[in-house]
Coordinates of all heavy atoms in Angstrom, one line a residue:
Y513 N 43.1 104.6 63.0 CA 41.9 104.6 63.7 C 41.3 103.3 64.0 O 40.3 103.2 64.7 CB 40.9 105.5 63.0 CG 41.4 106.8 62.6 CD1 41.4 107.2 61.2 CD2 41.9 107.8 63.5 CE1 41.9 108.4 60.8 CE2 42.3 109.0 63.1 CZ 42.4 109.3 61.7 OH 42.9 110.5 61.3
G514 N 41.9 102.2 63.5 CA 41.4 100.9 63.7 C 40.1 100.7 63.0 O 39.2 99.8 63.4
V515 N 39.9 101.4 61.9 CA 38.6 101.3 61.1 C 38.8 100.6 59.8 O 39.7 101.0 59.0 CB 38.0 102.7 60.9 CG1 36.8 102.6 60.0 CG2 37.7 103.4 62.2
D516 N 38.0 99.6 59.5 CA 38.1 98.9 58.2 C 36.9 99.4 57.4 O 35.8 99.0 57.5 CB 38.0 97.4 58.4 CG 38.0 96.6 57.1 OD1 38.5 97.2 56.1 OD2 37.6 95.5 57.0
T517 N 37.2 100.4 56.6 CA 36.2 101.0 55.7 C 35.6 100.0 54.7 O 36.4 99.2 54.2 CB 36.7 102.3 55.0 OG1 37.9 101.9 54.3 CG2 37.0 103.4 56.0
Q518 N 34.3 100.0 54.5 CA 33.7 99.0 53.7 C 33.1 99.6 52.4 O 32.5 98.8 51.6 CB 32.6 98.3 54.5 CG 33.1 97.6 55.7 CD 33.7 96.3 55.4 OE1 33.1 95.4 54.9 NE2 35.0 96.2 55.6
E519 N 33.2 100.9 52.2 CA 32.5 101.5 51.1 C 33.4 102.4 50.3 O 34.4 102.9 50.8 CB 31.3 102.4 51.5 CG 31.6 103.6 52.3 CD 32.3 103.3 53.7 OE1 31.6 102.6 54.5 OE2 33.4 103.7 53.9
A520 N 33.1 102.5 49.0 CA 33.8 103.5 48.1 C 32.8 104.7 48.0 O 31.6 104.4 47.8 CB 34.1 102.9 46.8
W521 N 33.3 105.9 48.3 CA 32.4 107.0 48.4 C 32.9 108.1 47.4 O 33.9 108.8 47.7 CB 32.5 107.5 49.9 CG 31.6 108.6 50.3 CD1 31.9 110.0 50.1 CD2 30.4 108.5 51.0 NE1 30.9 110.7 50.7 CE2 30.0 109.9 51.3 CE3 29.7 107.5 51.6 CZ2 28.8 110.1 52.0 CZ3 28.5 107.8 52.3 CH2 28.1 109.1 52.5
L522 N 32.3 108.2 46.3 CA 32.7 109.1 45.2 C 31.5 109.8 44.7 O 31.1 109.7 43.5 CB 33.4 108.3 44.1 CG 34.7 107.6 44.4 CD1 35.2 106.7 43.2 CD2 35.8 108.7 44.7
P523 N 30.9 110.7 45.5 CA 29.7 111.4 45.0 C 29.9 112.3 43.8 O 29.0 112.6 43.1 CB 29.3 112.2 46.3 CG 30.5 112.3 47.1 CD 31.3 111.1 46.8
D524 N 31.2 112.8 43.6 CA 31.3 113.9 42.7 C 32.3 113.7 41.5 O 32.6 114.6 40.7 CB 31.8 115.2 43.4 CG 31.7 116.4 42.6 OD1 30.7 116.6 41.8 OD2 32.5 117.3 42.8
S525 N 32.8 112.5 41.4 CA 33.8 112.2 40.3 C 33.0 112.1 39.0 O 31.8 111.9 38.9 CB 34.5 110.9 40.5 OG 35.3 111.0 41.7
F526 N 33.7 112.3 37.9 CA 33.1 112.6 36.6 C 32.9 111.3 35.7 O 33.3 111.2 34.6 CB 33.9 113.6 35.8 CG 34.1 114.9 36.6 CD1 35.3 115.6 36.4 CD2 33.3 115.3 37.6 CE1 35.6 116.7 37.2 CE2 33.5 116.4 38.4 CZ 34.7 117.1 38.2
G527 N 32.2 110.3 36.3 CA 32.1 109.0 35.6 C 32.9 108.0 36.3 O 33.9 108.3 36.9
Y528 N 32.6 106.7 36.0 CA 33.2 105.6 36.8 C 33.5 104.5 35.9 O 32.7 103.9 35.2 CB 32.2 105.2 37.9 CG 31.8 106.4 38.8 CD1 30.7 107.1 38.5 CD2 32.7 106.9 39.7 CE1 30.3 108.3 39.2 CE2 32.4 108.1 40.4 CZ 31.2 108.7 40.2 OH 30.9 109.9 40.9
S529 N 34.8 104.1 36.0 CA 35.4 103.1 35.2 C 34.8 101.7 35.4 O 34.5 101.3 36.6 CB 36.9 103.0 35.4 OG 37.4 101.8 35.0
A530 N 34.6 100.9 34.4 CA 34.0 99.6 34.5 C 35.0 98.6 35.2 O 34.6 97.5 35.5 CB 33.6 99.1 33.1
A531 N 36.2 99.0 35.4 CA 37.2 98.2 36.2 C 37.0 98.3 37.7 O 37.5 97.5 38.4 CB 38.6 98.6 35.8
L532 N 36.2 99.3 38.1 CA 36.1 99.6 39.5 C 35.5 98.5 40.4 O 36.0 98.2 41.5 CB 35.4 100.9 39.8 CG 36.2 102.2 39.8 CD1 35.3 103.4 40.1 CD2 37.3 102.1 40.9
P533 N 34.4 97.8 39.9 CA 33.9 96.8 40.8 C 34.9 95.7 41.2 O 34.9 95.4 42.4 CB 32.7 96.2 39.9 CG 32.3 97.3 39.1 CD 33.6 98.1 38.8
Q534 N 35.7 95.2 40.3 CA 36.7 94.2 40.7 C 37.7 94.8 41.6 O 38.1 94.2 42.6 CB 37.4 93.6 39.5 CG 38.4 92.6 39.8 CD 39.1 92.0 38.7 OE1 39.8 90.9 38.8 NE2 39.1 92.6 37.5
I535 N 38.2 96.0 41.3 CA 39.2 96.7 42.2 C 38.7 96.9 43.6 O 39.3 96.6 44.6 CB 39.7 98.0 41.5 CG1 40.4 97.7 40.2 CG2 40.6 98.8 42.5 CD1 40.7 99.0 39.4
M536 N 37.4 97.4 43.7 CA 36.9 97.6 45.0 C 36.7 96.3 45.8 O 37.0 96.2 46.9 CB 35.5 98.3 44.8 CG 35.6 99.7 44.3 SD 34.0 100.7 44.4 CE 33.1 100.0 43.0
K537 N 36.2 95.3 45.1 CA 36.0 94.0 45.8 C 37.3 93.4 46.3 O 37.4 92.9 47.4 CB 35.2 93.1 44.9 CG 34.7 91.8 45.5 CD 33.7 92.1 46.6 CE 32.4 92.7 46.0 NZ 31.5 91.7 45.5
L538 N 38.3 93.5 45.5 CA 39.6 93.0 45.9 C 40.3 93.8 47.0 O 41.2 93.4 47.6 CB 40.6 92.9 44.7 CG 40.3 91.8 43.7 CD1 41.2 91.9 42.4 CD2 40.5 90.4 44.3
A539 N 39.8 95.0 47.2 CA 40.3 95.9 48.3 C 39.4 95.7 49.5 O 39.7 96.4 50.5 CB 40.3 97.3 47.9
G540 N 38.5 94.8 49.5 CA 37.6 94.6 50.7 C 36.5 95.6 50.8 O 35.9 95.8 51.9
V541 N 36.1 96.2 49.7 CA 35.0 97.1 49.7 C 33.7 96.4 49.3 O 33.7 95.6 48.4 CB 35.2 98.3 48.7 CG1 34.0 99.1 48.4 CG2 36.4 99.1 49.1
R542 N 32.6 96.6 50.0 CA 31.3 96.0 49.8 C 30.3 96.8 49.1 O 29.4 96.3 48.4 CB 30.7 95.5 51.1 CG 31.5 94.5 51.9 CD 30.9 94.2 53.3 NE 29.5 93.8 53.1 CZ 28.6 93.7 54.2 NH1 29.1 94.0 55.4 NH2 27.4 93.4 54.0
W543 N 30.4 98.2 49.2 CA 29.4 99.0 48.8 C 30.0 100.3 48.0 O 31.1 100.7 48.3 CB 28.6 99.6 49.9 CG 28.1 98.5 50.9 CD1 27.3 97.5 50.6 CD2 28.4 98.4 52.3 NE1 27.0 96.7 51.7 CE2 27.7 97.2 52.7 CE3 29.1 99.1 53.2 CZ2 27.7 96.8 54.1 CZ3 29.2 98.7 54.5 CH2 28.5 97.6 54.9
F544 N 29.2 100.8 47.1 CA 29.7 102.0 46.3 C 28.6 103.0 46.3 O 27.4 102.7 46.1 CB 30.0 101.6 44.9 CG 30.4 102.7 44.0 CD1 31.4 103.6 44.3 CD2 29.6 103.0 42.8 CE1 31.7 104.6 43.5 CE2 30.0 104.0 42.0 CZ 31.0 104.9 42.3
L545 N 29.0 104.3 46.5 CA 28.0 105.4 46.5 C 28.5 106.5 45.6 O 29.7 106.9 45.6 CB 27.8 105.9 47.9 CG 26.8 107.1 48.0 CD1 25.9 107.0 49.1 CD2 27.6 108.5 48.0
T546 N 27.6 107.0 44.7 CA 27.8 108.2 44.0 C 26.4 108.8 43.7 O 25.4 108.1 43.8 CB 28.6 108.1 42.7 OG1 28.8 109.4 42.1 CG2 27.8 107.2 41.7
Q547 N 26.3 110.1 43.4 CA 25.1 110.6 42.9 C 25.3 111.4 41.6 O 24.4 112.0 41.0 CB 24.4 111.5 43.9 CG 25.2 112.8 44.2 CD 24.9 114.0 43.3 OE1 23.7 114.2 43.0 NE2 25.9 114.6 42.8
K548 N 26.6 111.4 41.1 CA 27.0 112.3 40.0 C 26.2 112.0 38.7 O 26.0 112.8 37.9 CB 28.5 112.2 39.8 CG 29.0 113.3 38.9 CD 28.9 114.7 39.6 CE 29.6 115.8 38.9 NZ 29.6 117.0 39.6
I549 N 25.9 110.7 38.5 CA 25.2 110.3 37.3 C 23.8 111.0 37.1 O 23.3 111.1 36.0 CB 25.1 108.8 37.2 CG1 26.5 108.1 37.3 CG2 24.5 108.3 35.9 CD1 27.5 108.6 36.2
S550 N 23.3 111.5 38.2 CA 22.1 112.3 38.1 C 22.3 113.6 37.4 O 21.3 114.2 36.9 CB 21.5 112.6 39.5 OG 22.3 113.6 40.2
W551 N 23.5 114.0 37.1 CA 23.8 115.1 36.3 C 23.7 114.9 34.8 O 24.0 115.8 34.0 CB 25.2 115.7 36.6 CG 25.4 116.3 38.0 CD1 24.9 115.9 39.2 CD2 26.2 117.5 38.3 NE1 25.3 116.7 40.2 CE2 26.0 117.7 39.7 CE3 26.9 118.3 37.5 CZ2 26.7 118.8 40.3 CZ3 27.6 119.4 38.1 CH2 27.5 119.6 39.5
N552 N 23.5 113.6 34.4 CA 23.4 113.3 33.0 C 22.6 114.3 32.2 O 21.5 114.7 32.6 CB 22.8 111.9 32.8 CG 23.8 110.8 32.8 OD1 25.0 111.1 33.1 ND2 23.4 109.6 32.5
A553 N 23.1 114.7 31.1 CA 22.5 115.7 30.2 C 21.3 115.2 29.4 O 20.4 115.9 29.1 CB 23.5 116.4 29.3
D554 N 21.4 113.9 29.0 CA 20.5 113.4 28.1 C 19.6 112.2 28.6 O 18.4 112.2 28.3 CB 21.2 112.9 26.8 CG 22.1 114.0 26.2 OD1 21.5 115.1 26.0 OD2 23.2 113.8 25.9
N555 N 20.2 111.3 29.3 CA 19.5 110.0 29.6 C 19.4 109.9 31.1 O 20.4 110.0 31.8 CB 20.2 108.8 29.0 CG 20.3 108.9 27.5 OD1 19.3 108.6 26.9 ND2 21.4 109.3 27.0
R556 N 18.2 109.6 31.6 CA 18.1 109.4 33.0 C 18.5 107.9 33.3 O 18.0 107.0 32.7 CB 16.6 109.5 33.4 CG 16.3 109.2 34.9 CD 14.8 109.3 35.2 NE 14.4 108.6 36.4 CZ 14.4 109.2 37.6 NH1 14.8 110.4 37.7 NH2 14.1 108.5 38.7
F557 N 19.4 107.8 34.3 CA 19.8 106.5 34.7 C 18.6 105.7 35.4 O 17.9 106.3 36.2 CB 21.0 106.6 35.7 CG 21.7 105.3 35.9 CD1 22.7 104.9 35.0 CD2 21.4 104.5 37.0 CE1 23.3 103.7 35.2 CE2 22.1 103.3 37.2 CZ 23.1 102.9 36.3
P558 N 18.4 104.4 35.1 CA 17.2 103.8 35.4 C 17.1 103.3 36.9 O 16.0 102.9 37.3 CB 17.1 102.6 34.5 CG 18.5 102.3 34.1 CD 19.2 103.6 34.1
H559 N 18.2 103.4 37.6 CA 18.2 102.8 39.0 C 18.8 103.8 40.0 O 19.6 104.6 39.7 CB 19.0 101.5 39.1 CG 18.6 100.5 38.0 ND1 17.4 99.9 37.9 CD2 19.4 100.0 37.0 CE1 17.4 99.1 36.9 NE2 18.6 99.1 36.3
H560 N 18.4 103.6 41.3 CA 19.1 104.2 42.4 C 19.8 103.2 43.3 O 20.7 103.5 43.9 CB 18.1 105.1 43.2 CG 17.7 106.4 42.5 ND1 16.5 106.6 41.9 CD2 18.5 107.5 42.4 CE1 16.5 107.8 41.4 NE2 17.7 108.4 41.6
T561 N 19.2 102.0 43.3 CA 19.9 100.9 44.1 C 20.0 99.7 43.2 O 19.0 99.3 42.6 CB 19.1 100.6 45.3 OG1 18.9 101.8 46.1 CG2 19.7 99.5 46.1
F562 N 21.2 99.2 43.0 CA 21.4 98.1 42.0 C 22.7 97.5 42.3 O 23.5 97.9 43.1 CB 21.3 98.7 40.6 CG 22.4 99.8 40.3 CD1 23.5 99.5 39.6 CD2 22.1 101.1 40.7 CE1 24.5 100.4 39.4 CE2 23.1 102.1 40.4 CZ 24.3 101.8 39.8
D563 N 23.0 96.4 41.6 CA 24.3 95.8 41.6 C 25.1 96.3 40.3 O 24.5 96.1 39.2 CB 24.2 94.3 41.6 CG 23.9 93.7 42.9 OD1 24.1 94.4 43.9 OD2 23.5 92.5 43.0
W564 N 26.3 96.7 40.5 CA 27.1 97.2 39.4 C 28.1 96.1 39.0 O 28.8 95.6 39.8 CB 27.8 98.5 39.8 CG 28.7 99.1 38.7 CD1 28.6 98.9 37.4 CD2 29.7 100.0 38.9 NE1 29.5 99.6 36.7 CE2 30.3 100.3 37.6 CE3 30.3 100.5 40.0 CZ2 31.4 101.1 37.4 CZ3 31.4 101.4 39.9 CH2 31.9 101.7 38.6
E565 N 28.1 95.7 37.7 CA 28.9 94.6 37.2 C 30.0 95.2 36.4 O 29.8 96.0 35.4 CB 28.1 93.7 36.4 CG 28.9 92.5 35.9 CD 28.0 91.5 35.1 OE1 27.4 90.6 35.8 OE2 27.9 91.6 33.9
G566 N 31.3 94.8 36.7 CA 32.4 95.3 36.0 C 32.8 94.4 34.9 O 32.2 93.4 34.6
I567 N 33.9 94.7 34.2 CA 34.3 94.1 33.0 C 34.7 92.6 33.2 O 34.6 91.8 32.3 CB 35.5 94.8 32.3 CG1 36.7 94.9 33.3 CG2 35.1 96.1 31.7 CD1 38.0 95.5 32.6
D568 N 35.0 92.2 34.5 CA 35.3 90.8 34.7 C 34.2 90.0 35.3 O 34.3 88.8 35.6 CB 36.5 90.8 35.7 CG 36.0 91.2 37.1 OD1 35.3 92.2 37.3 OD2 36.3 90.4 38.1
G569 N 33.0 90.7 35.5 CA 31.9 90.0 36.0 C 31.6 90.3 37.5 O 30.6 89.9 38.0
T570 N 32.6 90.9 38.2 CA 32.4 91.2 39.6 C 31.2 92.2 39.8 O 31.1 93.2 39.0 CB 33.7 91.8 40.2 OG1 34.7 90.9 40.1 CG2 33.5 92.2 41.6
R571 N 30.4 91.9 40.8 CA 29.3 92.8 41.1 C 29.5 93.4 42.5 O 30.0 92.8 43.4 CB 28.0 92.1 41.1 CG 27.6 91.6 39.7 CD 26.3 90.8 39.6 NE 26.0 90.4 38.3 CZ 24.9 89.7 38.0 NH1 24.0 89.4 38.9 NH2 24.7 89.3 36.7
I572 N 29.0 94.7 42.6 CA 29.1 95.4 43.9 C 27.8 96.2 44.1 O 27.3 96.8 43.2 CB 30.4 96.3 44.0 CG1 30.6 96.7 45.4 CG2 30.2 97.5 43.1 CD1 32.1 97.1 45.6

Side-chain angles (χ1 to χ4, degrees):
Y513 311 117
V515 174
D516 181 18
T517 52
Q518 298 283 294
E519 67 293 301
W521 184 279
L522 292 172
D524 193 35
S525 299
F526 308 148
Y528 305 95
S529 163
L532 270 181
Q534 182 182 194
I535 295 171
M536 290 190 286
K537 190 64 66 78
L538 285 172
V541 170
R542 294 175 56 189
W543 309 299
F544 175 59
L545 178 138
T546 183
Q547 68 85 47
K548 196 67 173 186
I549 303 301
S550 70
W551 288 41
N552 272 5
D554 303 312
N555 297 284
R556 174 184 165 89
F557 194 81
H559 310 296
H560 283 104
T561 302
F562 59 99
D563 281 344
W564 180 23
E565 182 179 273
I567 54 173
D568 73 311
T570 296
R571 294 180 180 180
I572 194 157

